[in-house]
Amino acid sequence: MKLADGVYGIELPQLDRLKGNCYLLEADRGWVVIDTGVNTSKVRQAWENALQELGAGFGDIVHILITHHHLDHIGGAGWLQQQSGAPVFILDRDYANANRYKKEEFTRLDASNFFRAHGYTQFDTVNPLVDFRAMVERLTSPQPELEQLKEGQILDYGRFKLQVLWTPGHSEGHMSLYDRERRYLFSGDFLLPDISSHVGFYPGSEANPMKTVINTLNRMHDIEADLVFPGHGPVFTDPASRIDTIIEHHKIRLEAIYAAIEQPANIAAINEVIFGQLDPFNIFLAVGETGAHLEYLIAEGRAKKEMVDGIMMFQRV
């Protein structure tokens, strides 16, 4: 559980078969939490066990920091806030996204129409994958009361001094935390050790999330970090090398998708070429991922899209 001086990690069960990392930092006047996981009985029990192992209680938590608004990072924040009384912080650029969970803005019908427009006609309004409202309520209630952080802000916890970094792409308002003196980077889902972070183009997304990801990777390439603490997977070193690998992966994927649209094709057909057969959860991820790459190609003038009989078709220019 101890990962480095003053840093403890908890690996929690998350969505589908995924696991996620949360961190506890032993600060001068208590414990600082980075991300919380979803709110399920297994996750709640894991938090209780972890604190007991550290000889701490919920009341010893002084701050809860959320790297971004996705369910597997913020879902348990309201519950943990209730138990501890600690304030919950998120980057100001992600505040509105996080508060959307309190509203019913994206309905089952919206989701069903989105999948159908990309060629997945088997998705309907009774499919649990598209019932986002039910999933949100199940995994994020109660909602936390959020406070906002600013890019560049320094969070002074005595032995830790964390600089707030805006690292968008995986999420528009994604926050990483950097301790310059210790050369620690808490990267959330911005930078992962063995997979590329999901980049999705969905209703309400920014226009070109893939370009944002590549810009962020380039901007963060030379950060001086000896240890990277990611949102998923093991702690790793040499972030510059990892960034190079991810950028190259996206270049290869862009060319593979470009090759798949020599003739007009919808995303379902493209995904069959790129990924083969997928289960429903990975279809959800692949639709957004392929869409993000296609929007990048469109912005570069290499592809175009057109709605034909209710289905969005993509083709090379």
Side-chain angles (χ1 to χ4, degrees):
M1 187 179 180
K2 184 173 183 177
L3 302 174
D5 181 35
V7 181
Y8 297 80
I10 314 172
E11 188 179 61
L12 299 174
Q14 301 288 10
L15 305 173
D16 194 58
R17 298 176 297 275
L18 299 177
K19 292 184 178 180
N21 300 327
C22 302
Y23 298 99
L24 281 155
L25 277 57
E26 191 174 11
D28 284 9
R29 58 184 181 89
W31 292 90
V32 175
V33 168
I34 300 177
D35 288 337
T36 65
V38 294
N39 186 14
T40 64
S41 59
K42 288 183 179 180
V43 169
R44 292 192 296 269
Q45 187 62 57
W47 274 110
E48 292 174 7
N49 294 344
L51 289 168
Q52 185 176 15
E53 186 177 335
L54 291 171
F58 287 108
D60 296 312
I61 296 173
V62 294
H63 273 187
I64 301 168
L65 308 176
I66 304 299
T67 59
H68 61 296
H69 73 276
H70 292 165
L71 303 184
D72 53 328
H73 294 260
I74 199 175
W79 169 78
L80 197 58
Q81 185 176 52
Q82 286 187 347
Q83 305 306 307
S84 65
V88 179
F89 295 91
I90 197 165
L91 188 65
D92 55 357
R93 296 173 184 266
D94 218 24
Y95 180 79
N97 285 326
N99 277 307
R100 282 193 309 180
Y101 292 140
K102 297 179 181 179
K103 307 171 186 177
E104 190 167 356
E105 291 186 348
F106 196 55
T107 68
R108 285 179 292 175
L109 184 59
D110 290 332
S112 178
N113 288 340
F114 171 73
F115 285 112
R116 285 178 177 276
H118 289 302
Y120 288 99
T121 56
Q122 73 270 38
F123 287 92
D124 56 41
T125 56
V126 298
N127 189 308
L129 183 64
V130 301
D131 193 351
F132 292 115
R133 187 71 237 158
M135 183 170 66
V136 166
E137 289 177 352
R138 178 169 59 87
L139 298 177
T140 70
S141 296
Q143 300 290 325
E145 293 299 320
L146 294 169
E147 300 183 36
Q148 300 180 57
L149 297 173
K150 300 283 188 183
E151 181 183 9
Q153 189 172 342
I154 303 294
L155 306 176
D156 189 347
Y157 298 117
R159 67 188 299 187
F160 293 99
K161 292 178 175 59
L162 302 178
Q163 182 181 358
V164 175
L165 304 178
W166 180 42
T167 50
H170 174 73
S171 161
E172 293 174 54
H174 191 287
M175 173 178 72
S176 297
L177 297 157
Y178 177 51
D179 190 313
R180 186 177 302 275
E181 181 177 341
R182 291 172 176 264
R183 297 168 69 98
Y184 290 172
L185 176 66
F186 297 89
S187 64
D189 283 1
F190 151 64
L191 193 60
L192 301 177
D194 44 21
I195 59 172
S196 61
S197 300
H198 176 61
V199 187
F201 183 77
Y202 298 103
S205 294
E206 62 175 303
N208 193 347
M210 180 57 60
K211 183 175 182 179
T212 299
V213 164
I214 292 171
N215 287 346
T216 301
L217 289 166
N218 283 321
R219 176 169 53 84
M220 292 288 289
H221 185 275
D222 295 327
I223 190 167
E224 296 178 349
D226 294 332
L227 290 177
V228 182
F229 302 87
H232 305 273
V235 176
F236 64 101
T237 61
D238 194 3
S241 176
R242 182 68 190 132
I243 286 171
D244 288 339
T245 299
I246 294 171
I247 290 174
E248 183 62 23
H249 161 78
H250 286 310
K251 288 180 180 177
I252 292 169
R253 178 61 53 79
L254 283 164
E255 294 311 310
I257 290 174
Y258 181 73
I261 56 171
E262 182 176 3
Q263 300 298 323
N266 59 44
I267 284 182
I270 297 167
N271 283 344
E272 189 168 347
V273 172
I274 301 297
F275 302 109
Q277 294 297 310
L278 295 171
D279 59 52
F281 181 74
N282 282 297
I283 286 174
F284 167 75
L285 297 178
V287 170
E289 187 95 14
T290 298
H293 285 81
L294 286 163
E295 292 300 322
Y296 184 93
L297 290 171
I298 290 168
E300 294 288 295
R302 301 179 65 197
K304 62 182 180 180
K305 63 181 177 180
E306 181 183 11
M307 189 72 79
V308 179
D309 297 329
I311 302 294
M312 187 64 74
M313 305 298 291
F314 298 85
Q315 187 178 13
R316 296 184 197 174
V317 172

